[in-house]
């Protein structure tokens, strides 16, 4: 079995992006190759070792550069996120568990409608275009682990990204705090108490928000 290296993988991926101009197809293939050739536990260990000290669940960035952001995604059991975009391509490689993605398209009246339901299971890879709007969900009973690749620097893109409110699909500015809020609202609207419990376990600061929405 190969030894997974974040630095080595990032260097290969960035070289493909520079060569291809976009790099989605080849980076997607590179990520699939990494999943096929490495033990999942070794990939997880490398990602966990690279997570910055004190990082929250939504800030598990293991590589960040102008061309590429690599995010170690840990989605707790039954958790569903708020609706958001990235403004750059996104590639998801599932290490364990499953991640489902509901993709939206804008309507003529400024709202959203569901355009596609996608899913990726352990060992699989999927991608979304730079204009994609979606939310993700873990349908399983255990935390799902994956490696997400984004075609740009998330730090520089933050003020270009958007969220959409759960109740009326109104577009608003992106922030991690607002993403947490819309995620909780989405799960409450669906009666997803298991997801809310797992979310609070992963992000204790969300407890006060959950309490305020119940009041």
């Amino acid at each position: 079995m190969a030894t997974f290296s974040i630095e080595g993988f990032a260097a290969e991926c960035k070289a493909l992006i520079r060569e291809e101009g976009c790099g989605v197809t080849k980076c997607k293939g590179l990520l699939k190759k990494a999943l096929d050739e490495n033990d999942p536990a070794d990939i997880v260990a490398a990602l966990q070792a690279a997570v910055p000290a004190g990082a929250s669940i939504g800030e598990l960035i293991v590589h960040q550069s102008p061309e590429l952001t690599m995010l170690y995604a840990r989605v707790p059991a039954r958790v569903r996120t708020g609706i958001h975009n990235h403004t750059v391509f996104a590639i998801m490689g599932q290490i364990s568990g499953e991640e489902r993605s509901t993709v939206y398209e804008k309507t003529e009246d400024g709202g959203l409608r569901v355009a596609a339901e996608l899913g990726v299971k352990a060992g699989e890879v999927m991608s979304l275009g730079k204009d994609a709007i979606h939310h993700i969900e873990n349908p399983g009973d255990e935390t799902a682990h994956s490696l997400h690749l984004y075609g740009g620097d998330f730090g520089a893109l933050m003020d270009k990204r958007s969220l959409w409110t759960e109740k009326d699909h109104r577009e608003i500015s992106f922030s991690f705090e607002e993403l947490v809020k819309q995620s909780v609202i989405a799960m409450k609207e669906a009666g997803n108490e298991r997801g809310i419990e797992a979310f609070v376990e992963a992000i204790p600061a969300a407890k006060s928000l959950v309490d305020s929405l119940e009041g």
Side-chain angles (χ1 to χ4, degrees), residues 21-94:
C22 172
V24 176
T25 301
K26 290 186 177 180
C27 286
K28 188 176 177 181
L30 184 67
L31 183 51
K32 183 67 171 74
K33 183 173 182 285
L35 293 177
D36 289 343
E37 295 183 353
N38 292 274
D39 188 304
D42 291 340
I43 298 177
V44 168
L47 295 174
Q48 288 179 333
V51 170
S56 72
I57 191 172
E59 300 170 329
L60 305 184
I61 292 174
V62 297
H63 174 84
Q64 194 167 16
S65 63
E67 308 101 321
L68 178 71
T69 295
M70 293 171 55
L71 174 71
Y72 173 29
R74 297 195 302 233
V75 185
R78 305 299 177 90
V79 162
R80 205 214 97 167
T81 70
I83 303 167
H84 61 279
N85 67 5
H86 304 116
T87 75
V88 292
F89 75 71
I91 304 172
M92 290 71 82
Q94 203 65 24

